[in-house]
Amino acid sequence: KKGSAFGSTRRGIAYAYSDKYRKKTLRLGDLLHLDEERTQNRLHMILDSKNMELAGCYHQEKMSYDALFHWCEAQAAKFAPYICDVGAFLQQAHDSGKRIVLEAQLGAMRDIDYGIFPFTSSSNTLAAYAPLGAGIPNCKLDHVVGVLKAYSTCVGEGPFTAEWFGEEAEQLRVAGVEYGAATGRPRRVGPFDCVASRYGLTCQGADKIALTKLDVLSSMKEIPVITGYTLDGVQVPSFDPLSDLDRVKPVVTMLPGWNKDISGCKSWDELPKEAKAYVEFLEKQLGHEIQFVST
């Protein structure tokens, strides 16, 4: 991938998903059946395919079947006590009236289908897919909280209309401790983007919003908010992941800052009027109630 990586974490995630869709892999539950002929036949088929790649594409030494089988045995010894039918476990909880919370890792812009392709994750990151991934496809979500920072961040490559550079960006990055959780790389940062956020909230089917890290903006005398896009001087009506996002320009609205540390605020009433006005402005722009504000 030298020179053309899409902000990869270099953990092999994309290759694992690729194997899933090519049917060149075992499922975790197959580790419980390593002694069965069907599983061993699949291992042989997978190994033949992988060795063609290792030798032909990457000029690496081929792996032996015995080495692969012993590796699988070692994984089975570690994980077998924890392997169960998760769908049945969660279905029983659901049917008995228990509440189930599913938490996402990435936002809509990194969804493999609805994000800014190819600068995406290798999986679906939207709320609608959560029951599928959890093993309870017949259960419907009854509440979706869209989690948004009070400013914009981006991990990896690809278009990022809100991006700041230089000292301004570094101050925001340091204040928000914006460094990649998996890689430690500095995140790209910028002002809150209402255009991209409206698209993301629509994709997620969010009914309420949690606005996080509001206190990170405390030192700014004026706070910019992106309220629109233009392309070649013409207003862009909405966010379109298929449009020329590298060339769109942000339309910025400036709001007064509060110039006061609010990290200790525990209630809405404790916030300065400028901080409340900022939250209320975002509510109107997004057309959603901000149910939670965190500092």
Side-chain angles (χ1 to χ4, degrees):
K1 276 192 172 183
K2 189 175 180 181
S4 61
F6 300 139
S8 171
T9 59
R10 298 172 184 162
R11 301 294 180 89
I13 306 297
Y15 295 95
Y17 274 100
S18 173
D19 286 346
K20 171 184 174 179
Y21 288 104
R22 294 190 303 165
K23 279 83 75 178
K24 295 289 193 295
T25 186
L26 295 183
R27 295 165 299 179
L28 197 62
D30 291 324
L31 292 178
L32 302 177
H33 306 284
L34 289 177
D35 58 338
E36 296 182 14
E37 184 180 0
R38 62 181 178 88
T39 306
Q40 294 176 16
N41 287 340
R42 285 199 55 75
L43 270 180
H44 277 292
M45 180 270 293
I46 293 165
L47 183 63
D48 290 343
S49 173
K50 284 296 176 184
N51 276 337
M52 288 176 64
E53 290 185 52
L54 285 171
C57 299
Y58 302 108
H59 310 293
Q60 300 294 311
E61 184 179 341
K62 291 183 177 181
M63 190 178 195
S64 72
Y65 177 80
D66 286 344
L68 176 61
F69 189 79
H70 290 321
W71 184 87
C72 288
E73 283 185 316
Q75 302 307 304
K78 289 180 182 179
F79 293 113
Y82 307 102
I83 297 172
C84 69
D85 186 338
V86 179
F89 177 81
L90 290 179
Q91 188 68 53
Q92 184 178 13
H94 176 271
D95 293 345
S96 66
K98 292 192 176 178
R99 300 171 71 185
I100 299 172
V101 177
L102 303 168
E103 183 183 6
Q105 183 209 3
L106 295 169
M109 298 307 174
R110 291 294 179 251
D111 184 84
I112 186 71
D113 290 322
Y114 294 91
I116 306 172
F117 190 83
F119 306 100
T120 66
S121 182
S122 302
S123 59
N124 292 108
T125 63
L126 302 184
Y129 289 93
L132 300 177
I136 43 174
N138 58 313
C139 295
K140 295 181 179 179
L141 301 173
D142 54 20
H143 181 34
V144 178
V145 179
V147 182
L148 297 167
K149 290 177 186 172
Y151 51 95
S152 296
T153 62
C154 176
V155 177
E157 306 297 323
F160 183 36
T161 305
E163 188 164 14
W164 274 354
F165 299 94
E167 185 179 348
E168 197 172 35
E170 188 58 22
Q171 287 177 353
L172 181 57
R173 186 178 296 113
V174 170
V177 196
E178 294 297 347
Y179 300 92
T183 63
R185 289 180 302 202
R187 291 192 182 115
R188 300 157 73 189
V189 297
F192 191 94
D193 188 334
C194 294
V195 182
S197 296
R198 282 193 291 264
Y199 173 79
L201 290 167
T202 299
C203 289
Q204 298 287 13
D207 47 84
K208 296 289 177 67
I209 294 174
L211 188 72
T212 69
K213 305 179 85 166
L214 184 64
D215 56 310
V216 173
L217 305 178
S218 291
S219 65
M220 300 173 67
K221 293 180 180 178
E222 281 192 306
I223 303 175
V225 178
I226 296 173
T227 51
Y229 289 172
T230 61
L231 181 61
D232 297 328
V234 178
Q235 185 173 349
V236 178
S238 60
F239 186 91
D240 180 359
L242 290 175
S243 66
D244 194 352
L245 292 172
D246 281 317
R247 293 177 54 238
V248 298
K249 303 295 183 186
V251 177
V252 178
T253 299
M254 300 300 296
L255 299 176
W258 43 93
N259 201 26
K260 172 186 175 184
D261 181 16
I262 60 170
S263 60
C265 293
K266 301 294 184 184
S267 70
W268 176 254
D269 292 336
E270 292 180 58
L271 292 175
K273 65 179 189 301
E274 295 86 356
K276 292 179 181 178
Y278 181 78
V279 174
E280 289 165 350
F281 180 83
L282 296 186
E283 278 190 324
K284 290 177 181 176
Q285 285 287 320
L286 300 174
H288 282 70
E289 178 187 343
I290 295 177
Q291 184 180 22
F292 305 105
V293 177
S294 77
T295 59

